Amino acid sequence: MGDYDPGFLELAYDAKRFVLYMRSIIEMAPLQVYYSGLLFAPQSSLIRVGYLKNIPWVPTQPKVVDVWSSLIQTLEGHTGFVQSAVFSPDGKLVASASFDHTVRLWDTSTGKQCGVLKGHTEGVISAVFSPNGKLVASVSWDKTVRLWDTSTRKQCGALEGHTDYVFSAVFSPDGKLVASASKDKTVRLWDISTGKQCRVLVGHTDIVNSSVFSPDGKFVASASDDKMVRLWDTSTGKECGVLEGHTNRVNSAVFSPNGKFVVSASFDHTIRLWDISTGKQCGLSEGHTSYANSVVFSPNGNLVASAFFDGIVRLWDTSTGKQCGVLEGHTDGVNSAVFSPDGKLIASASHDHTVRLWDTSTGKQCGVLEGHTSDVNAAGFSSDGKLVASTSWDETVRLRDTSAGKQSGVLEGHSSGVNSAVFSPNGKLVASASFDRTVRLWDTSTGKQCGVLKGHTEGVTSAVFSHDGKLVASVSRDRTLRLWDTSTGKQCGVLKGHTGWVNSVAFSPDRKLVVSASWDKTVRLWDTSTGKQCAVLGGHTNAVHSAVFSPNGNLVASVSHGNTVRLWDTSTGKQCGVLERHTSYVYSVAFSPDGKLVASASWDKTVRLWDTSTGKQSGVLKGHTRDVNSAVFSPNGKLVASASSDRTVRLWDTTTKTTIEIIETHDRINKMKFSNDGTHLRTSKGILQLKSSLHSGGSREPAHTLTHSLYVTDQWITCNMKKLLWLPVDYRLSCSAVHDTANRIVIGTASGRVFFISIDFPALPPAYLQPSIQVAVTASKCFLGLVRCSELL
């Protein structure tokens, strides 16, 4: 390698990182490499610097990190939650298990999916490699354990016998047996060569959560909801020990590397160490404030790491039984913790969407591996300790470099997931709300943060602007609402009174009142000038999930988890209507523009119209075949649009109560609104062009053609329902908002990033919106060269 030009090696390394990071879009839409790929590559990437030319139709580009992070690749393909991922013994493969009923095999050098193991008929809980790496065993809610040949990707055994869900399976050290633990209260041993059940270990009186072989394969330890750990002789199937002492369900139990001890974790908030020769407890870690989800020995057996639901990983010394380390940093429960092969690192996976790396000698955090957009279920090291694989409910597996675990490149933003982002009415500001307990204000013209609104003591779930943009109201899990002056960023009111989480907040049209809906079954009105509560609107018998003002602010309509809508007079705080005809949950409610009607959408498959002056039902809109998620009035009030889980949107005439148009959609739509001219609908899945509109004269006329529209999906920014810019995994939304006039998008991510993109529609190349096959092939061939170049490393 000494003869190579260092500059060439640096370019080849950068090309390799680029190709691995962008692999999925290179395969799916190669032309995106020149747009999204280059836009989202790190600032210092040599590929970005060398190839990114001026993109005239993206005047505001996303703010990106400076250098490549620890994330090497995201393995995408599963269509359900990914529960577990494990490396093969030689580190060349990863096997991932998912609720989509499959196990998938991935090549760790390229990230390419090299096998989809299909056969389970229910979600797959976990998958493990045999010691020689030639087999994979997977367990499922379909009550079976299945064996797969890793070279042929074919099923080579279906181990049937359990009568309920199977939670775990492990190979014996010699690879000849599999032990499986089940909800049917048994552990079963299976002979791999024949696929036959050879032992049924009966004795537990409740669900068995896990089972594990001793290092010499002579024993199995099982952990159960019956509060016991039981030891079994694998040669005879006889119980040879009962480890009693826990006062609640036992989640897991593992042997020490020398096989002399077992450590167990329980819902009783304790970790217990047992001597298997005597069956006696020889160590106890207690006094914790929550339960442990998992427990594991270090490779040398000197330490135990336990993952707790309170967000803490704890270390304790097995020789003394004393706690010797508290690893704090996660902001939510930790699902699992594992040691690296040399015992120098711990990787912990959490509900806070992160994996964190810890130095076991110091107890210090040495890396935060961000990017997942949902709970991280598990993390595991490769055999050489250089890679960590993590799995998540976001349906991905992520591979990361442990040597580059620290966050590389600093982006302005929140330090935790962003829950909502909204534009001010004039489009000059954005307010973002986060689990980091803050609301942040952003200048949309520069993309710069211009205010950090601090005061909440728990995560902030949403924020809204007043109609004049002068105030922001935020709601939090701390059960308060807070008012903020957008010109100064100062808190100007703390609205206390709710005894449960606040689900929604809205300003009255004149900004004098705020209405809030809460899990405490109440709606509350607040005076924005004083911050005082001016009415408690009680009457709902279930949690209230939303409340909205009428256009003139005289009424509030509130919806609970029951079957009713309630109307309230804002001047008196008195209930003036109970709208009770729905036969299932009401999902949403909306006032007509003149305030004379209310439309309610329900899981009973109907939309109902109500007269606000009398509280009487004035129409039932029937036709949907599944629950209705949303209903909205057109600007002139003559139409109602309803969206349903039956994947249709219906347009109704409010006078005749009949359907005048049915639009089929590809997915369920939860939210929508009419454009100002009533010619199209903006929905949670994109823009829907209406074939006809009902105008003031009552005639049906052709709708105006929509010239352009922006929308953000999970992976794409779209224009007129066409894919425009692909979003890499680190930049995918937890929330987003589009400002129509400025053609500007704000995206908040699970990692806390907030960034802006604007689109100049006149500058968009027509050839890009309708790319030719030849252009796509040319792009593919160009980057195939980079792939080959990167293989030099």
Side-chain angles (χ1 to χ4, degrees), residues 168-187:
S168 72
V170 289
F171 282 94
S172 60
D174 61 9
K176 294 181 178 180
L177 296 177
V178 162
S180 55
S182 170
K183 190 178 177 182
D184 68 8
K185 306 176 187 179
T186 71
V187 176

Side-chain angles (χ1 to χ4, degrees), residues 448-733:
K448 297 292 186 181
Q449 184 175 284
C450 55
V452 182
L453 315 183
K454 296 181 179 179
H456 284 294
T457 59
E458 296 290 344
V460 188
T461 53
S462 68
V464 295
F465 282 95
S466 59
H467 298 282
D468 59 8
K470 293 182 178 179
L471 292 179
V472 164
S474 57
V475 299
S476 165
R477 289 185 175 181
D478 66 11
R479 303 179 184 179
T480 70
L481 297 86
R482 294 177 191 250
L483 300 178
W484 314 85
D485 185 316
T486 57
S487 62
T488 64
K490 300 295 186 182
Q491 183 175 284
C492 52
V494 182
L495 316 183
K496 295 182 179 180
H498 281 296
T499 58
W501 286 354
V502 184
N503 293 317
S504 75
V505 61
F507 282 95
S508 62
D510 62 7
R511 203 194 74 186
K512 292 181 179 179
L513 294 176
V514 161
V515 63
S516 55
S518 169
W519 277 83
D520 66 10
K521 305 178 186 179
T522 71
V523 178
R524 296 175 190 245
L525 291 176
W526 312 83
D527 185 315
T528 58
S529 62
T530 64
K532 300 295 185 182
Q533 183 175 284
C534 48
V536 179
L537 314 182
H540 285 291
T541 57
N542 287 286
V544 189
H545 59 78
S546 67
V548 294
F549 282 99
S550 61
N552 62 10
N554 293 338
L555 294 177
V556 162
S558 58
V559 179
S560 81
H561 289 296
N563 305 343
T564 64
V565 178
R566 295 176 188 260
L567 298 179
W568 312 86
D569 185 315
T570 57
S571 62
T572 64
K574 300 294 186 183
Q575 183 174 285
C576 55
V578 183
L579 316 183
E580 309 178 280
R581 297 294 290 276
H582 283 294
T583 58
S584 189
Y585 291 155
V586 181
Y587 200 88
S588 73
V589 63
F591 282 96
S592 61
D594 61 9
K596 294 181 178 180
L597 291 178
V598 162
S600 54
S602 170
W603 287 8
D604 66 9
K605 307 175 188 178
T606 71
V607 176
R608 294 176 190 256
L609 301 180
W610 312 84
D611 186 317
T612 57
S613 63
T614 64
K616 301 294 185 182
Q617 181 176 288
S618 62
V620 183
L621 311 183
K622 294 182 179 180
H624 285 295
T625 58
R626 295 190 64 184
D627 48 293
V628 186
N629 308 309
S630 177
V632 292
F633 283 93
S634 62
N636 61 13
K638 295 184 177 182
L639 296 178
V640 164
S642 59
S644 166
S645 292
D646 65 11
R647 299 187 179 183
T648 68
V649 170
R650 288 178 178 253
L651 211 60
W652 310 83
D653 185 323
T654 57
T655 302
T656 64
K657 316 300 189 291
T658 57
T659 301
I660 62 172
E661 188 174 341
I662 300 174
I663 306 168
E664 293 187 0
T665 62
H666 295 296
D667 207 346
R668 168 176 169 161
I669 290 173
N670 293 320
K671 294 180 180 179
M672 60 184 176
K673 66 177 182 178
F674 276 90
S675 62
N676 291 337
D677 62 4
T679 62
H680 62 275
L681 286 166
R682 289 194 176 276
T683 79
S684 58
K685 297 296 179 181
I687 302 297
L688 297 180
Q689 182 77 52
L690 304 178
K691 293 179 180 178
S692 58
S693 297
L694 197 63
H695 296 277
S696 57
S699 62
R700 294 171 66 183
E701 301 174 6
H704 297 93
T705 300
L706 185 63
T707 56
H708 54 71
S709 61
L710 290 175
Y711 183 71
V712 188
T713 68
D714 290 340
Q715 296 187 29
W716 290 90
I717 295 172
T718 67
C719 171
N720 297 339
M721 303 296 283
K722 296 178 181 179
K723 294 174 179 177
L724 188 63
L725 277 176
W726 178 71
L727 295 173
V729 289
D730 287 336
Y731 296 89
R732 289 182 190 164
L733 71 157

Side-chain angles (χ1 to χ4, degrees), residues 758-780:
S758 64
I759 303 297
D760 182 3
F761 287 99
L764 276 172
Y768 174 73
L769 292 177
Q770 295 180 340
S772 68
I773 295 175
Q774 184 60 44
V775 170
V777 170
T778 302
S780 178

Side-chain angles (χ1 to χ4, degrees), residues 165-457:
Y165 300 157
V166 186
F167 291 135
S168 72
V170 289
F171 282 94
S172 60
D174 61 9
K176 294 181 178 180
L177 296 177
V178 162
S180 55
S182 170
K183 190 178 177 182
D184 68 8
K185 306 176 187 179
T186 71
V187 176
R188 295 175 191 247
L189 301 181
W190 312 83
D191 186 315
I192 296 307
S193 61
T194 64
K196 300 295 185 182
Q197 181 176 286
C198 54
R199 297 281 185 272
V200 182
L201 312 184
V202 179
H204 284 294
T205 58
D206 210 330
I207 295 169
V208 186
N209 295 306
S210 68
S211 60
V212 61
F213 282 95
S214 60
D216 60 10
K218 293 181 179 180
F219 300 99
V220 164
S222 54
S224 169
D225 277 10
D226 67 7
K227 308 174 188 177
M228 307 289 185
V229 177
R230 295 177 188 262
L231 301 177
W232 313 84
D233 186 314
T234 56
S235 62
T236 64
K238 301 294 185 183
E239 185 181 281
C240 55
V242 181
L243 312 182
E244 297 184 73
H246 284 296
T247 58
N248 207 327
R249 61 179 289 190
V250 186
N251 296 329
S252 65
V254 292
F255 282 94
S256 61
N258 63 11
K260 295 181 179 181
F261 301 96
V262 164
V263 66
S264 55
S266 168
F267 264 46
D268 66 7
H269 299 186
T270 69
I271 305 295
R272 296 173 191 254
L273 185 67
W274 313 85
D275 184 324
I276 66 168
S277 63
T278 63
K280 301 295 185 183
Q281 182 177 294
C282 55
L284 173 65
S285 175
E286 58 183 347
H288 306 301
T289 58
S290 72
Y291 61 84
N293 284 318
S294 71
V295 63
V296 63
F297 278 96
S298 61
N300 62 11
N302 293 337
L303 294 175
V304 164
S306 51
F308 280 81
F309 193 71
D310 61 7
I312 296 173
V313 178
R314 299 174 190 270
L315 298 179
W316 48 300
D317 187 317
T318 56
S319 63
T320 64
K322 300 294 186 182
Q323 182 173 289
C324 57
V326 180
L327 314 183
E328 296 184 86
H330 285 294
T331 58
D332 209 334
V334 186
N335 291 316
S336 70
V338 291
F339 283 93
S340 61
D342 61 8
K344 294 180 179 180
L345 294 177
I346 286 174
S348 54
S350 169
H351 286 298
D352 68 8
H353 305 179
T354 70
V355 176
R356 295 176 189 251
L357 298 180
W358 313 84
D359 185 317
T360 56
S361 63
T362 65
K364 301 294 186 182
Q365 182 174 285
C366 53
V368 182
L369 313 184
E370 299 176 311
H372 282 297
T373 59
S374 191
D375 296 356
V376 186
N377 299 314
F381 286 94
S382 59
S383 55
D384 59 8
K386 293 181 179 180
L387 294 177
V388 166
S390 56
T391 66
S392 168
W393 281 23
D394 66 9
E395 304 179 359
T396 68
V397 179
R398 298 183 189 233
L399 297 181
R400 303 171 191 273
D401 184 340
T402 57
S403 65
K406 291 188 177 181
Q407 180 175 307
S408 51
V410 179
L411 285 177
E412 265 188 0
H414 293 282
S415 59
S416 191
V418 185
N419 293 313
S420 74
V422 291
F423 281 94
S424 60
N426 63 10
K428 293 182 178 180
L429 292 177
V430 160
S432 57
S434 169
F435 279 130
D436 70 3
R437 305 177 187 179
T438 70
V439 177
R440 296 176 189 247
L441 298 179
W442 308 83
D443 184 318
T444 59
S445 63
T446 64
K448 297 292 186 181
Q449 184 175 284
C450 55
V452 182
L453 315 183
K454 296 181 179 179
H456 284 294
T457 59

